[in-house]
Amino acid sequence: MGKDVIVACDFSSKADVMAFLDRFSSRKPFVKIGMELFYAEGAEIVREIKARGHKIFLDLKLCDIPNTVKKSMHVLSGLDVDMCNLHAFGTKAMMDAAMEGLTREDGTRPMLIAVTQLTSTSEERMKSDLLINEPLEKVVMHYAKCAAQCGLDGVVCSPLEARNVKVVCGEGFMTVTPGVRFADDDVGDQVRITTPAKAKELGSDYIVVGRPITQAADPVAAYERCIREFVD
Ligand code: C5P
């Protein structure tokens, strides 16, 4: 499995995301399209970025009744994205339905990964707001195990949880980890965070990096720094 840096393109217009991607001349970063850009520009933005030669992680975090998720995943599989996701919180019935919907007639499908607990969620909040009274780590591992049982390819989790996910679900089970900051960065609203170098040490397969790259004075240099710390 190739390690890579996925750039979270959290922009609200096509003009902004294209201006951002135009800055990258030599490399074609793996791009994450999230709700903000997708809701603003629709499916066409996925096709356009794909046509420019980028791999795409479509981060729409589906969570609904199994039938709705199955049908929605079927639509997403037609978009030719490389990776998409859902909330493991939606249950194994929902994850089974998602796998069914995502798989094309020829048996191929984009990678499917499950969000365990958002990296902005602390254990205190999980307890007070979600009434989940287990330790956060235990919840993440349980959700990861459920995702693996449903045949998903991996989970989104904090880099701090990546090593244990591999212990519980196997080395081949992917960990895609947001919550990455350079040592000298602002933390923002993220809680369970590490640096790219630390994420590598902890065994993440992909790091998802948004603001440390998109808001940097020199985004290409920030991206290259991530590649140096995480991949090279
Ligand atoms: O700007 P920042 O590096 O915090 O961006 C992280 C990205 O990863 C955002 O697009 C956010 O939606 C996404 N994400 C996350 N935590 C998860 C799943 C996705 O931060 N558990």
Side-chain angles (χ1 to χ4, degrees):
M1 196 169 340
K3 283 190 185 293
D4 207 353
V5 174
I6 302 180
V7 182
C9 289
D10 294 322
F11 297 102
S12 56
S13 74
K14 176 177 163 179
D16 286 351
V17 70
M18 292 309 184
F20 173 75
L21 293 177
D22 280 345
R23 303 177 76 136
F24 293 82
S25 47
S26 52
R27 294 214 202 217
K28 297 266 182 205
F30 199 138
V31 163
K32 182 172 87 69
I33 298 178
M35 293 183 223
E36 184 182 354
L37 186 58
F38 191 82
Y39 292 157
E41 297 289 350
E44 198 46 36
I45 196 72
V46 177
R47 295 190 191 97
E48 284 189 36
I49 295 177
K50 186 84 195 173
R52 291 170 66 123
H54 295 270
K55 283 190 180 169
I56 295 182
F57 168 20
L58 187 55
D59 177 22
L60 297 181
K61 299 187 182 72
L62 275 67
C63 192
D64 208 318
I65 59 171
N67 186 55
T68 302
V69 168
K70 178 179 165 180
K71 291 190 163 173
S72 307
M73 284 294 181
H74 182 67
V75 174
L76 297 188
S77 77
L79 280 180
D80 194 26
V81 295
D82 299 277
M83 187 187 285
C84 54
N85 64 356
L86 45 64
H87 273 284
F89 183 72
T91 78
K92 288 207 271 184
M94 190 197 80
M95 290 194 269
D96 284 337
M99 286 291 282
E100 225 182 296
L102 198 61
T103 307
R104 304 182 187 103
E105 271 183 16
D106 63 1
T108 63
R109 62 168 174 80
M111 290 184 273
L112 180 61
I113 58 176
V115 175
T116 52
Q117 283 290 338
L118 295 172
T119 42
S120 54
T121 304
S122 64
E123 187 162 304
E124 293 70 45
R125 279 227 167 259
M126 196 186 66
K127 288 189 171 155
S128 66
D129 298 5
L130 306 179
L131 275 188
I132 299 174
N133 278 311
E134 301 287 349
L136 184 82
E137 174 88 8
K138 189 173 170 191
V139 175
V140 169
M141 295 311 142
H142 177 65
Y143 286 10
K145 228 187 288 176
C146 291
Q149 284 163 359
C150 295
L152 273 72
D153 303 288
V155 285
V156 185
C157 61
S158 155
L160 300 168
E161 293 138 5
R163 185 170 289 149
N164 268 354
V165 166
K166 300 260 183 198
V167 170
V168 170
C169 302
E171 264 309 305
F173 195 67
M174 275 175 5
T175 52
V176 179
T177 64
V180 173
R181 291 292 179 271
F182 294 120
D184 42 325
D185 264 352
D186 236 11
V187 166
D189 54 355
Q190 295 283 21
V191 177
R192 294 162 16 240
I193 55 165
T194 63
T195 62
K198 187 76 185 165
K200 179 179 185 179
E201 197 186 308
L202 293 170
S204 299
D205 295 299
Y206 293 91
I207 50 171
V208 176
V209 189
R211 288 162 289 183
I213 293 176
T214 57
Q215 308 297 308
D218 184 344
V220 178
Y223 172 73
E224 297 293 350
R225 182 177 172 190
C226 282
I227 293 281
R228 267 198 316 277
E229 281 193 31
F230 183 69
V231 183
D232 294 343

